Amino acid sequence: MNGVVLPGDRTVRHVRLEVPEPGSGQVLLAMKASSICGSDIRAIYREHLGHGPEAYRGVVAGHEPCGQVVAVGPDCRRLAVGDRVAVYHIAGCGVCDECRGGYLIGCTSPHRAAYGWQRDGGHADFLLAEERTCLPLPDRLSYLDGALVSCGFGTAYEALLRLAVSGRDQLLVTGLGPVGLAAAMLGRALGAGPIIGTDVSAERLALARRLGLVDHAVPAGDDAAAMIADLTGGAGCAATMDCSGSAAARSLALRSTRTWGRCAFVGEGGRLTLDVSQDLIHRQITLHGSWVTSLRHMSELLANLVRWNLRPEVTVTDRFALADAGAAYRLADAGTAGKVAIVFD
Ligand SMILES: [Zn+2]
Ligand SMILES: [Zn+2]
């Protein structure tokens, strides 16, 4: 089969591999969609930055896979050939507290392996997956929808749950990359409004507006805080979420959170300096860090997308064949597109 590895230095290497055979508790998936994530760019494609859970081991890349079961190993309990599945992108040890809570992302066992980081991922014709990391994909969702849920939409949904977002809340999303677009889409489904989004990229602001995901697209910059205050009667938003990881955007999200409001940080990396009394304590703000999601919340999200009649794939602006993975990564690296995905067939 064909596969893609990422040697670093902004290169993509195509390799030929044996099709793996599923062992105990494993299934073989024919890949149908495998999207590219900001963390693939940040920690693998540009250079191999990661340690621990983000260490890249030279495996087939792609941690947002979605496909169809074509072979089932011994001792599988739920899946059968022909099933369409989304994949939680980390296989944890299965027996620690974080794994038992469904947050395989938080597993610290040496047995933990993320698809596309420490074990082969979705940028190949087939993927060997643990059955316990696979979730049935509802018929009304596409494979591309499923790929997007496996990381970005799941991450956005988890942070919205952490913030307990509802129709009582205005919602500010700083950073309108794929996770920010997901947060805006799901935040509206949960009842929040108005939805205000900010970004430094005019293209990303235009995309969020064109997709109807935000009510107000505010250019990030010196005037952003005043514009957000204007849009919210001077008080700011009850719920805010940073999906960019930039210090300026995190600070904007916090300063635009109304008194007694809640803020979540989802965008990775970097540092932040706070005036703790003025920015946090005196305004009674609850600040959350939220990392990926749980198996249960991912499953709940798949069901809710059907109920809400939402299609994550509308945020995909560019699709590439596996053979064109180099072009796909170059585009994703530029940071101006919506979601970029590799699709099969
Ligand atoms: Zn991801
Ligand atoms: Zn574990």
Side-chain angles (χ1 to χ4, degrees):
M1 65 177 186
N2 296 306
V4 161
V5 299
L6 301 174
D9 203 21
R10 290 187 158 89
T11 50
V12 163
R13 184 185 299 150
H14 292 268
V15 293
R16 290 285 299 170
L17 302 151
E18 292 295 312
V19 176
E21 282 210 5
S24 176
Q26 296 180 323
V27 294
L28 185 68
L29 306 179
M31 275 300 95
K32 303 292 187 182
S34 181
S35 41
I36 296 174
C37 179
S39 58
D40 295 320
I41 301 295
R42 175 177 57 80
I44 307 181
Y45 176 68
R46 291 176 186 156
E47 56 178 316
H48 297 175
L49 288 182
H51 302 282
E54 283 198 341
Y56 176 63
R57 304 253 181 252
V59 296
V60 171
H63 68 265
E64 302 182 350
C66 193
Q68 185 169 32
V69 178
V70 292
V72 175
D75 309 316
C76 284
R77 293 169 180 178
R78 183 177 190 181
L79 296 178
V81 169
D83 287 348
R84 304 162 76 246
V85 295
V87 183
Y88 186 97
H89 67 269
I90 296 127
C93 73
V95 291
C96 71
D97 286 348
E98 288 303 299
C99 283
R100 285 183 164 150
Y103 289 86
L104 281 53
I105 181 75
C107 177
T108 54
S109 157
H111 297 287
R112 175 198 197 272
Y115 298 102
W117 296 80
Q118 298 94 30
R119 61 184 284 165
D120 286 339
H123 293 357
D125 297 317
F126 296 93
L127 171 70
L128 188 63
E130 305 300 317
E131 184 193 36
R132 61 195 160 79
T133 62
C134 296
L135 293 168
L137 181 67
D139 289 342
R140 279 166 56 192
L141 298 180
S142 69
Y143 288 112
L144 204 43
D145 291 326
L148 269 50
V149 166
S150 68
C151 180
F153 270 72
T155 296
Y157 186 60
E158 181 74 22
L160 291 165
L161 295 182
R162 208 68 62 83
L163 291 170
V165 163
S166 75
R168 299 171 72 196
D169 301 316
Q170 313 83 1
L171 176 64
L172 170 68
V173 178
T174 55
L176 292 171
V179 176
L181 293 177
M185 183 193 286
L186 300 175
R188 194 189 296 287
L190 289 164
I195 314 275
I196 303 170
T198 71
D199 203 284
V200 291
S201 154
E203 290 97 327
R204 285 189 158 170
L205 290 167
L207 176 65
R209 216 183 277 120
R210 189 165 74 243
L211 293 171
L213 298 180
V214 297
D215 300 300
H216 306 283
V218 174
D222 295 343
D223 301 334
M227 289 171 73
I228 294 162
D230 272 354
L231 292 167
T232 53
C237 292
T240 62
M241 189 189 303
D242 175 64
C243 300
S244 76
S246 100
R250 282 174 178 152
S251 170
L252 176 64
L254 259 183
R255 280 183 289 122
S256 301
T257 306
R258 67 171 57 198
T259 301
W260 291 106
R262 301 93 67 206
C263 176
F265 286 171
V266 173
E268 295 252 20
R271 295 183 173 275
L272 177 66
T273 303
L274 285 183
D275 185 335
V276 174
S277 290
Q278 189 180 312
D279 293 343
L280 219 51
I281 297 175
H282 296 176
R283 295 198 299 113
Q284 312 277 13
I285 285 171
T286 305
L287 176 61
H288 298 267
S290 183
W291 194 23
V292 188
T293 189
S294 66
L295 271 171
R296 189 186 189 96
H297 286 158
M298 185 175 157
S299 172
E300 180 184 300
L301 174 57
L302 288 167
N304 281 341
L305 288 168
V306 174
R307 288 175 57 222
W308 295 334
N309 203 19
L310 289 178
R311 301 293 304 279
E313 71 169 39
V314 301
T315 63
V316 175
T317 49
D318 300 273
R319 304 169 193 215
F320 293 85
L322 185 65
D324 300 321
Y329 271 84
R330 274 195 301 281
L331 180 65
D333 185 26
T336 52
K339 190 72 172 177
V340 178
I342 292 169
V343 293
F344 299 75
D345 298 331

